[in-house]
Amino acid sequence: MIWNYTGLLIALVLSTPLLGQEETALRELYDAGHCDQFVQQVQSQSSDSLSAQVCFLSGMCLMQQAEYQMALGYLDQAVRKDHDLAMAYFVKAEVLVQLNRLSDALVQYENAIYLQPEVPDFQVGKGYVLLQAGRYPEAIFAFQQALSYPKCPEKAYVLLGRAFQENKQMDLALSTWKDALDKMDARGSSFRECLYRLGQAEYLLENYPDAEAIYQRLLASNPDDYQGVSKLIQVYFAGGEYEKGNALKMELYGAYNRRQLPAEMVEKGFCFDQFDWDGKRIYAYERFEEPPGYGPKHQFLVTDERNQVLETVQTELAPEAALTGKKYILGKVEGTRHLLFDGEAFDDNFDYDVLKKAVVRILRGKEKPCRIVDP
């Protein structure tokens, strides 16, 4: 993750003045956000003439431009010139995370913590790497340590809940997120993510009334959060409240017609249900458009434990559907194979339970295809 630096962290760097006219001019470029010009001027000078602070700020600029290898070079120079520059170790760790060098990043977080153990952001960064590495008890300790300091970023609550969840301590994850809501800025991104995490956890625990209340709270403060609308639809479908779910679908179609949806949702559609079958997780999506030919309208994506799609069963506006007197027939896509099943045909006002059972029959191989569509 690229950390969202707090004013406290920036102060740790900017409180140390640069010396000399040239470095003062460089600082002005950096403070004004002119990173391109800043880096160009720094690169025109010999590395020996650069101070630790200039090297550090160069690394910051290059990190923001996603020039990670070049950023590492300047950050290495910064810590060689000033072994006590804690922020340089911290930002170096952040860059290493982007390069997926987690063990190296952990060393740099530890260096920063050794120099300034009271800075909560350093502990949060360390905890994040431990979480990514699957070292959940250590991550929990790091996040708890961060939260014991004043001005700890709100993101730490979200990450602590995630660490508890991954460590199979769901009760602690839920209580962490619930308690955090009263301490967060309701307008902030961490508050929104906390509601998402809490709602999803309650949903997976099949506590549908609690999940509904959480997503309604999310939408009360973010009515245009269309992913949140999709999540609430899933809650209603899981609880068999299809009328409520279908009513919310109309909100998404209205936003689609007004061109207000995020690009990913426009392209892929929205998830309206998910359920387990034969040890796999199936995600049911509905697309907004109705493409002619063999295009899908509803897609049931069968995924493995790594969330990779293994096969798809979908409703299709295939020409064969007209012969059945219905609008859709079911198709199955597995690798390059595309099979059609005219024995399973549906109209727009289909019974969802009937459709779901038909999908499972096809997955079990209980239906014979009427046609193989050429790839």
Side-chain angles (χ1 to χ4, degrees):
M1 65 182 177
I2 293 294
W3 198 249
N4 182 17
Y5 301 100
T6 64
L8 171 64
L9 289 175
I10 295 300
L12 293 174
V13 181
L14 300 186
S15 60
T16 304
L18 295 172
L19 301 176
Q21 260 186 337
E22 286 188 7
E23 292 194 345
T24 299
L26 284 171
R27 169 66 64 78
E28 290 174 354
L29 282 175
Y30 179 84
D31 290 344
H34 300 313
C35 269
D36 288 340
Q37 296 176 46
F38 179 92
V39 171
Q40 286 174 9
Q41 292 201 24
V42 168
Q43 289 176 336
S44 68
Q45 302 178 34
S46 69
S47 60
D48 292 340
S49 68
L50 302 175
S51 71
Q53 288 283 318
V54 169
C55 290
F56 167 73
L57 294 177
S58 299
M60 286 277 288
C61 277
L62 289 163
M63 179 186 70
Q64 292 165 13
Q65 296 170 342
E67 297 286 353
Y68 299 128
Q69 292 294 348
M70 291 179 64
L72 279 180
Y74 280 103
L75 293 167
D76 284 339
Q77 289 185 60
V79 295
R80 281 199 299 269
K81 293 171 185 284
D82 183 353
H83 299 306
D84 296 327
L85 191 53
M87 271 295 292
Y89 292 109
F90 174 69
V91 176
K92 184 178 177 183
E94 296 282 279
V95 172
L96 289 166
V97 169
Q98 292 302 306
L99 295 172
N100 201 33
R101 293 168 56 183
L102 298 185
S103 59
D104 293 335
L106 187 59
V107 171
Q108 302 306 319
Y109 285 126
E110 294 284 14
N111 288 337
I113 291 168
Y114 175 79
L115 292 168
Q116 292 186 301
E118 76 286 356
V119 179
D121 300 65
F122 296 172
Q123 292 282 357
V124 175
K126 174 185 173 181
Y128 177 80
V129 167
L130 292 168
L131 177 61
Q132 293 299 103
R135 296 163 62 176
Y136 305 128
E138 295 171 84
I140 290 168
F141 181 81
F143 295 134
Q144 289 175 328
Q145 189 73 24
L147 287 165
S148 71
Y149 297 126
K151 297 185 178 179
C152 182
E154 293 179 346
K155 184 78 171 178
Y157 290 108
V158 178
L159 292 170
L160 176 58
R162 282 181 55 191
F164 279 131
Q165 185 178 36
E166 295 292 346
N167 204 42
K168 311 302 181 186
Q169 295 173 283
M170 185 55 73
D171 288 347
L172 289 175
L174 291 172
S175 62
T176 296
W177 289 325
K178 288 176 182 177
D179 293 343
L181 291 174
D182 296 327
K183 302 170 185 176
M184 290 179 168
D185 180 357
R187 298 163 297 179
S189 60
S190 291
F191 183 85
R192 178 175 174 271
E193 184 177 356
C194 197
L195 284 172
Y196 262 107
R197 298 266 177 197
L198 187 55
Q200 183 69 2
E202 296 285 18
Y203 171 81
L204 292 175
L205 290 170
E206 299 183 4
N207 298 329
Y208 301 132
D210 291 337
E212 177 186 3
I214 292 161
Y215 287 128
Q216 285 180 338
R217 182 176 178 182
L218 171 71
L219 295 172
S221 55
N222 301 275
D224 295 334
D225 188 334
Y226 297 114
Q227 293 292 354
V229 174
S230 172
K231 293 290 187 183
L232 186 53
I233 292 171
Q234 293 171 47
V235 171
Y236 288 140
F237 267 71
E241 297 184 275
Y242 302 141
E243 288 187 10
K244 288 185 177 180
N246 287 328
L248 278 182
K249 283 185 181 183
M250 294 304 101
E251 289 190 20
L252 293 182
Y253 275 90
Y256 171 78
N257 292 330
R258 295 190 299 271
R259 299 185 178 181
Q260 294 176 334
L261 294 179
E264 181 182 4
M265 189 175 277
V266 170
E267 179 181 352
K268 188 176 180 180
F270 60 93
C271 184
F272 64 90
D273 189 24
Q274 50 179 294
F275 56 93
D276 291 323
W277 171 76
D278 196 29
K280 303 176 182 67
R281 192 72 174 169
I282 298 180
Y283 296 89
Y285 277 80
E286 182 170 328
R287 298 168 64 91
F288 293 99
E289 294 184 349
E290 296 189 346
Y294 298 101
K297 176 63 175 177
H298 309 89
Q299 293 183 294
F300 293 81
L301 310 180
V302 184
T303 62
D304 60 16
E305 66 277 0
R306 297 186 304 276
N307 219 32
Q308 299 296 309
V309 177
L310 303 174
E311 54 189 329
T312 302
V313 177
Q314 55 198 30
T315 62
E316 302 190 29
L317 291 162
E320 288 84 350
L323 300 176
T324 69
K326 303 289 185 178
K327 186 171 183 178
Y328 308 106
I329 61 171
L330 292 187
K332 179 183 177 184
V333 178
E334 183 177 8
T336 58
R337 298 182 73 224
H338 185 174
L339 310 176
L340 296 179
F341 300 83
D342 59 1
E344 302 290 357
F346 299 89
D347 282 322
D348 271 329
N349 59 343
F350 55 79
D351 183 317
Y352 179 64
D353 287 326
V354 173
L355 173 60
K356 194 155 72 168
K357 289 176 182 177
V359 168
V360 171
R361 279 197 300 273
I362 287 175
L363 290 172
R364 286 178 175 165
K366 300 295 186 181
E367 296 285 340
K368 291 185 178 180
C370 66
R371 183 180 171 189
I372 300 176
V373 181
D374 293 332

